[in-house]
Each structure stands twice: as C-alpha cells, then as structure tokens.
Amino acid sequence: MIWINLGIVVLALVGLGLYGFLLYKKKMAGDVRRVKRLTERFQIRIGVIQQLIDEIKRHVDTVNASVAEMKRLSVKVKTESVELRDASIGLTQEIKRTAGIESSPVSTESKI
C-alpha cells in the first residue's frame, strides 16, 4: 500500500513538473522570439556599422596616400627650386658679365 501511495506522489510531482515546464515554455516562447528578433536587428546594425567603418578606412587610406604623394612632390619641388635658383644666379652673373656690368675674375685670354 505504501508503494502505491509513493508511486502516486512521484507521478503527481513529475506531472506538476512537466505541467510547470510547459507553462514556462509557453510563456518564454514570446520572449525567445523577441530575443531572436533583437539579435537579428543587432546583426544587421553590426553589418551596417562595419560597412561604414570599412568605407571610412578606405577614405583615410586614400587621404594618407595623397599626403604621402604631396610630401614626395614637395621634396621634388624643393630640390628643383634650389636648382632653378642656382641656375638663375648663374644666368644673372652671365648676363651681367656679357653686358659688361661685372667683369669676370679670370680673363678670357687665359681661358683659351
């Protein structure tokens, strides 16, 4: 007789546990759907943000390349401006010498 009562109690507890689990699952189904939707939204937002980050990185790389090119060109301009200055000084001296404004330190007879 005790085994029958003990079996009924165990079955009742298992039934109550199963019934509670089913109620909990039913209540949680809406929450699980909401969490899945939020997760999908966040994944979409993450994708959009990643695309924007990649685009910004491309722009930064382009700007860095432009700055490097400008630096390279500025060094070239500086070098060429020094050469131009030296050539203009030489040309000015030659014009003055040719015009007779300034005499050369070495006579032309000694050059020949």
Side-chain angles (χ1 to χ4, degrees), residues 89-90 92-105:
I89 289 172
T92 304
Q93 289 174 350
E94 185 64 26
I95 290 172
K96 285 180 180 180
R97 189 185 64 76
T98 303
I101 298 172
E102 183 179 285
S103 63
S104 78

Side-chain angles (χ1 to χ4, degrees), residues 60-105:
V60 168
D61 291 342
T62 303
V63 168
N64 285 340
S66 297
V67 168
E69 180 69 14
M70 289 173 65
K71 284 181 181 179
R72 186 186 67 75
L73 291 175
S74 69
V75 168
K76 185 177 178 183
V77 166
K78 181 179 178 184
T79 304
E80 290 179 1
S81 68
V82 168
E83 291 174 4
L84 182 62
R85 184 195 59 170
D86 293 343
S88 66
I89 289 172
L91 182 61
T92 304
Q93 289 174 350
E94 185 64 26
I95 290 172
K96 285 180 180 180
R97 189 185 64 76
T98 303
I101 298 172
E102 183 179 285
S103 63
S104 78

